[in-house]
Amino acid sequence: MELFPFIEKADIQDIKIFQEEKLQELLAYLEGNSPFYQRLFKENNIQISDIQTLEDLQKIPTTSKNDIQQNNDDFFCIPQNQIVDYSTTSGTLGDPVTFGLSDNDLERLAYNEAISFACAGVKKGDVVQMITTIDKRFMAGLAYFLGLRKMGASVVRMGPGIPELQWDSIFRYQPKYLITVPSFLLKMIDYAEKHGIDYKNSSVFGAVCIGESIKNQDFTDNILSQKIKEKWNIQLYSTYASTEMSTAFTECEHQVGGHQHPELIITEILDDEGNPVKDGESGELTITTLGVEALPLLRFKTGDLVKAHYEPCKCGRNTMRLGPVVGRKQQMIKYKGTTLYPPAMNDILNDFEGILCYQIVIQSNEIGLDEIIIKLSTEREEESFEGEVRDHFRAKLRVSPKIEIVDFDVLSKTVFNPNSRKPITFIDLR
């Protein structure tokens, strides 16, 4: 298969024309098969023949996670006997949503991951260790496996956690790449240092990082990425995806944002009024999936605030690139006149030596204002530690949250909940 699709190297105007043709196919498919979109078109007097260009998408109302939660069955476009896999969203912003995939959808998923991993430099014959679950209805884990298989790489399906077993597997099978939540790399490094493992001379060249940001908005390494690289000189590649998109945005070797695959997804970056933002501004990523059979989405608002980059990349791709997620729209915090998102607080906490794990809790106080509580476990015993953390928040973000020191055995069970696919470092109780 072609791991560097020609359309990604095409002229920007040709990419637009290509996507508009794909959009026509999608609209006809939705009108013929989707109970939800049939109703949406009828209620809003939308004639799909009026939607000819990408700009015409503005004539169609957006779809939200709430729409899918309330009308899950009506989004399905194929009968149940054609569903070959059931996946669910992680439920980060509410109740999980069920997604079914047809056989063709699984093939599309494999194609997406194959060209995404190729973008990050993975090649046929490389050994890749998956430090992520493939079960629990987790679409991404299955996608990684299918994509690596399709491109001819070898897969070591280790699953998450247990640094001892991860290192045993690394030295046994010699993987070149890891797929992991980046903060787990710090746990692996810590374990290696405490047990005399020569990790710096292992076979690992790079890691494809999922679930957590490793870059600042200008594509420099954030605190988490810096802490990893200070200890272990490996390449770290960002990738961004979601169950709803069934598509990934993965960095190439130049690491300046995740590349869009124009044959798989149409993207819009919208402001609070639903209008396209100006170039260089951040807004809510809104996506339209292409080539999905079971549960395609039209103008779906992801809830993620991002910035798009349109200048051609040195790798030869002319596709749009997504920068790091600024934050989730529903996780915006208003604290004493300051607007915050969890990633900014993560950077501060990741910068501190001695923090074993942490959790940011947001709740409303008795007068309805947002209140920030930082629960953390530390190996430091001095009384001044809480004050140092608070002062650092005040200096960097102009806020002074409440700090609670919690025993590691207690807090770690909440943060690294076995029922969750990612570390639970943020809880919103508002």
Side-chain angles (χ1 to χ4, degrees), residues 162-168 170-171 178 184-202 204 228 231-232:
I162 318 179
E164 180 181 6
L165 291 181
Q166 302 295 346
W167 283 119
D168 177 75
I170 286 170
F171 285 102
L178 308 177
F184 185 71
L185 293 173
L186 291 175
K187 293 183 178 299
M188 290 181 61
I189 293 168
D190 182 62
Y191 181 90
E193 290 180 340
K194 288 177 177 176
H195 292 82
I197 296 173
D198 187 15
Y199 65 93
K200 292 182 180 179
N201 289 310
S202 73
V204 177
I228 295 167
K231 297 277 191 175
W232 196 9

Side-chain angles (χ1 to χ4, degrees), residues 313-344:
C313 183
K314 293 177 182 178
C315 71
R317 293 173 177 85
N318 293 323
T319 49
M320 181 274 285
R321 289 167 288 113
L322 284 185
V325 175
V326 177
R328 292 209 161 181
K329 198 168 183 180
Q330 287 180 240
Q331 292 179 348
M332 185 181 77
I333 304 155
K334 281 285 190 180
Y335 189 75
K336 298 182 179 177
T338 299
T339 299
L340 298 172
Y341 292 97

